[in-house]
Amino acid sequence: MNNSEWETVVGIEVHAQLNTVSKLFSSAPNSFGDEPNTNISVVCTGQPGTLPVLNKEAVKKAVLWGHAVNAEVALYSKFDRKSYFYPDAPRNFQITQFDKPIVKGGKVTCEIDGKEKTLELDHTHLEDDAGNCRHFSNFGGVDYNRAGVPLIEIVTKPLVGTTPKEVATFASMIRAILQYLDICDCNMEEGSLRMDCNVSVKKKTEKEFRTKVEIKNMNSFSNMQLAIEQEVNRQTKIYMSNPEADPKSLIMQSTYRWDPEAKMIRLMRLKEHADDYRYFPEPDLPPLLLTQEYIDALQQEMPELPFERKKRYMEHIKIAEDITNILINDKKLSDYFERALKVCSNARSLSNWIVVEFLGRFKDSGVNLPDSEIEAENIGRLVNMIDKKIINGKIAKKVADDMVSMSGKDCEEIVSENPDYQPVNDESEIEALVDQVLAQNQQSITDYKNGKEKAFGFLVGQVMKLSRGKASPELVNKLLKKKL
């Protein structure tokens, strides 16, 4: 046997906290980062005799998600109890949707290595979140602030014959769609977006899937890719080392977690089966009945989605694909670029200045460019100054440095106040510099006349050096060619 006989099967489960003001079944605040056990109520802590009341805004956000992925939004769905006993579940059950979810099917499309690929979704259901177990050096506690926060759980169909890179790309597109809809802040570090993967391998000739293993706690897409690679390698190695054994005896259905410090997966527990949760209809909530008019009305509220925005960037304003991918995968950055576009028509140059120059300057600062003091319109005006030949590219880079160090000071103000940033466009002044360079570099003149084009570039560089980068490159080129 060899690795080429095997293929990977991966399913993704995405838990996205909806950014509603209150929780799914109570009026307690839905807010992250507050003091433990302050955003709680008698409902979300499971006090006897309390009754859940469904949050309308959470339903609306679930329907918007359904529209975004071209799914069927169910006119009839219902809630169920999923029983499990753990300190973070104050009621000892979770309210979820088991067999009648609010969203059925759907698909997510994205480009992977230049090819358009589609991920089929099985369903999306509404449920409330559990609390959060907190572990300290010498004690542990439970914070119920998160208990009852509304979630949508997005469950994909298995991706057969996929790669870890493809899975991570699809997962990042799911996050992008949630961001563009503005229904989840998608902060993986804070846990408002949590992604689990169910991983198995099988022989390519087999129709049935083998035992799957769940991986949790992947807080970045690069970690997701690494975790899947490790689990695929682990399972393949076990099967290949035991070719005569019953596959069901080799891999147990279990849950692993990703250890970000060790960068490896670790076993948490053997996996429960659906029967273990004792699902049954939630007796305190009636079925959720939606009208077609309500569903159709929400279709009119749909914003531009990432795949649509990518096509607009590449086909209509001709931005390079690598730059486009960086922009659309971060909605805040893409919106920042959109604001700059309102004052600058050179989209291609503007996108390069934002992604290459300014993102690069903030790379190690711990500050995101859209959250910085540099207004998007300020970068747009900087690109306009280059296009109007008020400054050249070399000076513009120095201005960009000053914009960062001077807390977003206006680029036009920076240029007007600094004599070194005033470009030299006087032909007689530049001609004197050209004459000086030619007099000092006779060998380069000879090389150029003998067909060595690099010699011309060297001469241009020497003139620019003498002018401290302020000479107009077009004028330098024109005068050098004339004199040569």
Side-chain angles (χ1 to χ4, degrees), residues 128-198:
D128 62 353
D129 212 342
N132 188 16
C133 292
R134 307 280 292 274
H135 303 283
F136 303 95
S137 56
N138 57 357
F139 73 98
V142 183
D143 179 7
Y144 287 127
N145 279 350
R146 199 176 71 183
V149 165
L151 297 173
I152 52 171
E153 182 175 346
I154 303 157
V155 181
T156 76
K157 291 184 177 179
L159 278 161
V160 181
T162 188
T163 66
K165 179 184 176 182
E166 286 179 346
V167 177
T169 304
F170 278 124
S172 66
M173 180 56 76
I174 290 173
R175 183 186 67 168
I177 294 171
L178 291 166
Q179 286 179 324
Y180 279 65
L181 290 171
D182 192 24
I183 63 175
C184 174
D185 65 23
C186 297
N187 191 318
M188 297 177 78
E189 292 291 335
E190 294 178 358
S192 60
L193 185 70
R194 305 192 294 277
M195 298 200 177
D196 306 332
C197 286
N198 293 301

Side-chain angles (χ1 to χ4, degrees), residues 422-467:
Q422 310 304 317
V424 177
N425 290 309
D426 183 88
E427 188 166 335
S428 61
E429 190 175 343
I430 295 175
E431 187 172 11
L433 298 177
V434 169
D435 289 340
Q436 184 180 339
V437 166
L438 291 175
Q440 294 171 351
N441 294 278
Q442 290 298 320
Q443 184 60 49
S444 293
I445 296 172
T446 303
D447 290 343
Y448 174 71
K449 289 184 175 180
N450 288 331
K452 294 182 179 179
E453 287 295 327
K454 286 185 178 179
F456 185 81
F458 171 78
L459 293 169
V460 171
Q462 292 303 301
V463 177
M464 295 304 294
K465 187 176 179 182
L466 272 180
S467 72

Side-chain angles (χ1 to χ4, degrees), residues 256-416:
Y256 281 73
R257 69 177 177 87
W258 174 254
D259 184 337
E261 293 184 4
K263 291 202 173 297
M264 62 184 296
I265 53 174
R266 298 189 186 278
L267 179 64
M268 289 175 65
R269 60 181 179 269
L270 295 180
K271 179 76 174 170
E272 299 90 346
H273 294 267
D275 290 347
D276 297 327
Y277 291 121
R278 294 181 290 117
Y279 286 99
F280 66 90
E282 169 55 58
D284 293 333
L285 284 167
L288 175 57
L289 304 177
L290 303 179
T291 65
Q292 194 61 51
E293 290 77 14
Y294 172 80
I295 295 170
D296 292 344
L298 289 181
Q299 178 76 65
Q300 307 307 312
E301 296 186 21
M302 292 296 294
E304 182 182 48
L305 295 172
F307 200 67
E308 297 164 354
R309 185 170 283 192
K310 179 173 183 174
K311 284 190 173 182
R312 175 164 64 86
Y313 282 3
M314 293 182 63
E315 294 175 9
H316 297 289
I317 56 179
K318 308 299 182 186
I319 301 177
E321 184 173 9
D322 57 338
I323 298 292
T324 294
N325 287 335
I326 293 171
L327 287 172
I328 66 156
N329 286 333
D330 183 342
K331 183 175 184 291
K332 286 180 75 173
L333 184 65
S334 183
D335 289 345
Y336 186 85
F337 171 66
E338 292 283 330
R339 293 205 307 274
L341 267 180
K342 292 179 180 178
V343 300
C344 175
S345 60
N346 189 341
R348 192 176 182 91
S349 179
L350 176 63
S351 66
N352 278 295
W353 272 92
I354 286 177
V355 171
V356 179
E357 296 294 338
F358 280 91
L359 276 189
R361 284 166 170 78
F362 279 92
K363 186 177 180 181
D364 300 318
S365 68
V367 177
N368 292 324
L369 175 60
D371 298 326
S372 73
E373 295 180 330
I374 298 178
E375 294 292 333
E377 295 81 0
N378 200 358
I379 300 178
R381 288 192 291 273
L382 178 66
V383 175
N384 288 342
M385 292 176 78
I386 302 168
D387 289 347
K388 293 175 182 176
K389 302 192 184 327
I390 297 172
I391 56 175
N392 58 37
K394 189 169 184 178
I395 291 174
K397 290 187 178 186
K398 295 178 181 177
V399 176
D401 289 335
D402 289 349
M403 288 165 66
V404 173
S405 63
M406 295 179 179
S407 301
K409 187 173 181 179
D410 187 80
C411 59
E412 295 173 345
E413 205 175 327
I414 291 170
V415 170
S416 66

